[in-house]
């Protein structure tokens, strides 16, 4: 992991300050697995992660700083890199839920979907082979 002291401007975000503590208690799967061996992510977890991301203005601004197919600037890229670490520590890596949630954030931040509760987004997520509908409605 990169030295956090190089990114002091991000100290304003509580999640950034929580990374060290979360990394101590996170139960991550450290075995090397092929992508085909990673089970699909439950829809409720993906939606929970998406709601977590969309509730943070700095994350939405970073994802929305460029068009869906555009290039995100390095400053926003660093912010998203650290936030990705935070999400992995917080939600784990038994499935690809964090990566699946992140893959839809550019569209959310650029108005393709209305928000995390958009029925169109839910339909797209359910159609994704790496996500399954577990029938649980996230809080």
């Amino acid at each position: 992991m990169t030295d956090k002291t190089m990114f002091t401007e991000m100290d304003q975000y509580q999640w950034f300050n929580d990374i060290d503590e979360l990394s101590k208690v996170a139960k991550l799967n450290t075995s090397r697995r092929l992508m085909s061996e990673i089970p699909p992510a439950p829809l409720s977890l993906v939606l929970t992660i998406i709601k977590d991301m969309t509730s943070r203005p700095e994350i939405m601004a970073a994802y929305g700083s460029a068009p869906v197919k555009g290039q995100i600037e390095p400053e926003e890229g660093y912010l998203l890199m650290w936030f990705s670490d935070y999400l992995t520590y917080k939600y784990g890596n038994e499935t690809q839920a964090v990566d699946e949630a992140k893959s839809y954030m550019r569209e959310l931040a650029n108005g393709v979907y209305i928000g995390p509760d958009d029925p169109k987004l839910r339909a797209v997520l359910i159609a994704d082979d790496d996500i399954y509908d577990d029938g649980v409605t996230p809080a």
Side-chain angles (χ1 to χ4, degrees):
M1 185 182 283
T2 308
D3 180 10
K4 281 178 61 181
T5 59
M6 295 173 54
F7 300 94
T8 56
E9 70 278 2
M10 288 199 282
D11 282 340
Q12 64 183 309
Y13 306 120
Q14 185 58 50
W15 61 262
F16 184 75
N17 297 311
D18 292 344
I19 289 175
D20 290 333
E21 193 59 38
L22 281 171
S23 70
K24 293 174 189 171
V25 297
K27 306 234 184 312
L28 300 180
N29 185 335
T30 57
S31 67
R32 297 180 65 97
R33 301 184 288 179
L34 298 173
M35 295 299 280
S36 62
E37 296 172 344
I38 299 174
L43 176 64
S44 62
L45 179 57
V46 174
L47 286 171
T48 297
I49 296 168
I50 288 173
K51 287 180 180 191
D52 191 347
M53 289 190 285
T54 57
S55 72
R56 300 169 192 273
E58 70 278 10
I59 300 305
M60 290 301 287
Y63 276 114
S65 67
V68 173
K69 300 288 184 192
Q71 178 79 25
I72 291 180
E73 294 296 321
E75 288 178 3
E76 285 83 7
Y78 291 127
L79 176 87
L80 294 174
M81 173 195 72
W82 281 108
F83 194 68
S84 180
D85 286 351
Y86 166 79
L87 292 172
T88 300
Y89 289 133
K90 183 174 180 181
Y91 295 106
N93 67 349
E94 283 299 313
T95 68
Q96 293 181 12
V98 170
D99 290 334
E100 289 299 324
K102 289 183 337 187
S103 70
Y104 294 95
M105 288 305 297
R106 296 284 291 273
E107 289 89 354
L108 271 160
N110 281 285
V112 174
Y113 304 112
I114 298 168
D117 297 321
D118 186 335
K120 188 167 80 170
L121 173 62
R122 184 180 179 84
V124 169
L125 292 172
I126 291 171
D128 188 314
D129 290 339
D130 294 319
I131 299 172
Y132 71 93
D133 189 351
D134 57 348
V136 177
T137 302

